[in-house]
Amino acid sequence: MAETLTLGKALNAGLRKALESDPKVILAGEDIGKLGGVFRITEGLQATFGEDRVIDSPLAESGIVGTAIGMAMRGYRPVVEIQFDGFVFPAYDQIVTQLAKIHHRTRGQLKVPVVVRIPYGGGIGAVEHHSESPEAYFAHTTGLKVVTCANANDAYWMIQQVIASDDPYIFLEPKRRYHDRGEVDTESEPLTLHAARVAREGSDLTLLCYGPMVKTCLQVADAAAEEGRSLEVVDLRTLSPIDMATVVTSVHRTSRAVVVHEAQVSYGIGAELAARLSEQCFYDMEAPVLRVGGYDVPYPPSRVEEEYLPDLDRILDAVDRSFAY
């Protein structure tokens, strides 16, 4: 059955399904119970499943994740919410030195199926610590898996897939897309969790993107088509591991690639993709991989964030530069 939902409501429906399917699934976070979270992603879940399964935690991110790790080691499947991207860093030590390591530290004896949900990215006019893109920190940490949804259908299915997994996950939610509506098919077989998706087919250049930038890149492809250029848009969906098979297949065909993300360009996911494509597609490419992202400065005040975030003009400029080679 298909229905139209916002991305936020699709996440809520996916969490509800996971709670119904497995009594070991526990949600925890700041104000996620009675309030339903600052973005209302968990709205109504505590009323249905009770205060023991949808837990309003203290304002202590390190404690939230540390408690979740302990619960996972006792057989539960905790899903914790970090209110905003910039608030995750008090929990960074727990995530990187404990959550990511315990399975390997115990030689596989212990599984730690914790999901850390993080609303990320800018575009909502928020203040410092509310608009950051920390994905590279976690993608660089072995032992963690990092995924992000870009539409309502993926939000519904991917949140259930990561909760069902025995691995620890960072689940990134594009907060400026929470209110975007899309069709959710609750009965068909979902796409494999660690597969990229060709969001739009094209033949002249590949735009590699994820999360909030997928919608922007689709708009770029529409604008480029009016100028006679056919751009393929690949929604990565999974940042660690990266589905290089889909990426390489696309770039083999188009011979050009531009990576787009909100995070700062230096040392980011775009750098990783550029390195891998130079190794795997060097002789097929007509131009170097170009990157479009945030500038190498702290996230700016909201009144100028539109100057910081990649937009149609900056991405189309990169497309033009690629074709100039």
Side-chain angles (χ1 to χ4, degrees), residues 49 230 294 318 320:
F49 298 98
S230 172
D320 287 342

Side-chain angles (χ1 to χ4, degrees), residues 86-269:
F87 297 176
V88 73
F89 298 108
Y92 191 71
D93 177 58
Q94 289 285 353
I95 294 171
V96 172
T97 66
Q98 305 299 335
L99 181 59
K101 303 291 193 298
I102 289 173
H103 183 69
H104 296 271
R105 186 182 297 151
T106 62
R107 299 184 179 180
Q109 296 297 308
L110 285 178
K111 298 174 181 176
V112 197
V114 174
V115 176
V116 181
R117 293 180 41 237
I118 306 175
Y120 79 120
I124 64 168
V127 297
E128 187 180 19
H129 304 312
H130 292 66
S131 301
E132 297 172 16
S133 298
E135 58 267 30
Y137 295 115
F138 300 111
H140 189 65
T141 302
T142 53
L144 291 178
K145 292 183 177 175
V146 183
V147 299
T148 179
C149 55
N151 58 59
N153 196 60
D154 270 353
Y156 175 77
W157 284 112
M158 290 174 73
I159 191 63
Q160 294 180 69
Q161 290 171 317
V162 297
I163 293 171
S165 172
D166 288 334
D167 295 319
Y169 271 86
I170 302 296
F171 189 85
L172 297 164
E173 302 170 4
K175 68 169 84 75
R176 72 157 132 165
R177 305 301 183 203
Y178 273 147
H179 298 293
D180 287 1
R181 302 177 71 84
E183 189 172 275
V184 177
D185 189 337
T186 59
E187 294 183 353
S188 66
E189 190 72 18
L191 186 62
T192 302
L193 180 58
H194 291 293
R197 177 178 67 95
V198 177
R200 176 186 174 123
E201 294 185 349
S203 57
D204 296 336
L205 182 146
T206 300
L207 291 175
L208 300 168
C209 53
Y210 53 88
M213 283 292 102
V214 174
K215 181 177 180 178
T216 305
C217 285
L218 288 170
Q219 293 168 341
V220 168
D222 287 340
E226 295 177 1
E227 299 175 355
R229 286 175 174 165
S230 172
L231 306 188
E232 182 148 298
V233 179
V234 175
D235 174 6
L236 293 176
R237 300 176 74 247
T238 171
L239 306 183
S240 179
I242 296 175
D243 175 14
M244 284 306 296
T246 298
V247 172
V248 168
T249 297
S250 177
V251 176
H252 269 309
R253 188 170 61 255
T254 64
S255 302
R256 290 181 169 83
V258 174
V259 188
V260 183
H261 51 57
E262 286 192 16
Q264 294 94 326
V265 166
S266 297
Y267 310 105
I269 301 297

Side-chain angles (χ1 to χ4, degrees), residues 32-49:
I32 71 162
K34 292 180 180 177
L35 182 65
V38 291
F39 294 105
R40 307 297 188 267
I41 302 303
T42 54
E43 189 170 38
L45 298 181
Q46 189 182 70
T48 303
F49 298 98

